[in-house]
Amino acid sequence: MRTFVSSLNSLTVKLLGISSITVLLIAGAGFYGLSSSWSSMNELGRIIEVDQAHEHAVLKISINFKEQVQEWKNVLLRGYDKNKFNKYLGKFEDKETQVRKQSEKLLKGLSGPHHKTSRQLLATFINDHKTLAEKYRQGLRQFEASGYDSKAGDKAVSGIDRAPLKTLTTAAEAISKNLATTTQVALKKKQQTVLFTLILIIIAIVAGAATYAILVRRLIIRRVQFFGQRLRAHYRR
């Protein structure tokens, strides 16, 4: 009898142990899933925040560049008046400086292999913008030398803004595409984490249930064996 009670107590302890371990495994898997999901959400938020800032920056550069071109046209159209010449030339130079500084700042911020295409396009635009500045100065000298004839000034720079603007537009498209791609990758990573967590939980439940069933079966068999022995002993008497 004492042997049976001892065996029963031992099995009970094992059952409680298996139950506790199963609960801990499920809790651990759940914690892992929550922690990984939180990390993925933070990563996704960072990607969106940074790449949206890049997207906003390149669009701002594009707007300022268009305004720079417009201010140049104002110089040519209204520059016959000395006061207006200085006014619009000042605005042109301000926009030119803004475009240069903003482009260089954005180029430094486009780090990582996923921004390779965007970096190359922006670097091309920056070089073209420097060349453009020289040609604008050449056109300005011709404009002044001709007695402020707009045709003379426009001849030196006619159409030279189209290629840089196209490059800038392509860079903006590349940044937008990269934002969409990296967002999809981050979301896929999150989905994989959730799936992996569910698999871990299922494994923990199945393993715990199987072990529990085995121990319960052993308990039942031992009880049957015990009562069988008791009955045989009784009839022998």
Side-chain angles (χ1 to χ4, degrees):
M1 183 68 178
R2 290 180 180 178
T3 303
F4 172 72
V5 172
S6 176
S7 177
L8 180 61
N9 290 336
S10 177
L11 282 174
T12 302
V13 170
K14 288 180 180 179
L15 288 173
L16 290 174
I18 291 298
S19 299
S20 300
I21 291 171
T22 302
V23 170
L24 287 174
L25 287 175
I26 294 172
F31 177 77
Y32 167 80
L34 288 174
S35 177
S36 299
S37 295
W38 181 260
S39 177
S40 297
M41 287 300 294
N42 286 338
E43 178 67 13
L44 179 60
R46 187 198 65 80
I47 289 171
I48 292 175
E49 182 180 358
V50 172
D51 282 0
Q52 278 185 341
H54 291 158
E55 189 177 37
H56 178 73
V58 75
L59 291 174
K60 191 173 181 180
I61 293 168
S62 179
I63 291 171
N64 283 334
F65 181 63
K66 291 176 181 178
E67 290 178 353
Q68 176 192 338
V69 173
Q70 183 58 48
E71 294 301 344
W72 170 254
K73 292 178 180 178
N74 289 334
V75 170
L76 296 182
L77 293 174
R78 299 174 175 82
Y80 58 86
D81 183 305
K82 187 64 177 176
N83 291 330
K84 289 183 179 180
F85 174 82
N86 291 330
K87 173 185 175 182
Y88 289 111
L89 180 60
K91 288 185 176 182
F92 166 79
E93 291 175 341
D94 285 344
K95 286 297 177 182
E96 185 180 56
T97 301
Q98 287 180 29
V99 170
R100 176 176 55 79
K101 289 183 176 180
Q102 290 169 352
S103 301
E104 292 173 350
K105 181 179 178 181
L106 179 58
L107 184 63
K108 291 179 181 178
L110 292 173
S111 58
H114 54 292
H115 282 305
K116 182 179 179 181
T117 301
S118 304
R119 245 190 344 263
Q120 290 174 341
L121 289 167
L122 191 60
T124 299
F125 170 78
I126 290 172
N127 290 330
D128 290 346
H129 190 252
K130 289 178 181 178
T131 303
L132 205 63
E134 296 172 1
K135 291 185 176 180
Y136 274 129
R137 299 305 179 277
Q138 180 183 347
L140 188 64
R141 288 191 293 270
Q142 291 182 8
F143 178 59
E144 291 178 302
S146 67
Y148 301 100
D149 182 1
S150 60
K151 291 182 181 179
D154 185 59
K155 185 178 180 180
V157 296
S158 179
I160 62 173
D161 59 292
R162 293 172 188 166
L165 183 58
K166 184 178 180 181
T167 301
L168 196 59
T169 302
T170 307
E173 291 172 352
I175 290 173
S176 297
K177 184 178 179 181
N178 183 72
L179 173 59
T181 301
T182 50
T183 300
Q184 288 177 354
V185 170
L187 287 173
K188 186 176 180 180
K189 183 180 178 181
K190 181 187 174 184
Q191 291 171 350
Q192 289 174 341
T193 299
V194 172
L195 179 61
F196 184 65
T197 301
L198 289 174
I199 291 173
L200 286 178
I201 292 174
I202 290 171
I203 290 173
I205 292 173
V206 171
T211 307
Y212 196 88
I214 291 171
L215 290 176
V216 169
R217 183 172 176 273
R218 287 178 61 186
L219 176 60
I220 293 172
I221 290 172
R222 287 189 183 185
R223 291 192 67 178
V224 170
Q225 289 175 343
F226 172 76
F227 285 114
Q229 291 173 357
R230 297 278 291 181
L231 285 172
R232 283 195 297 272
H234 175 73
Y235 285 117
R236 284 173 187 172
R237 292 177 186 175

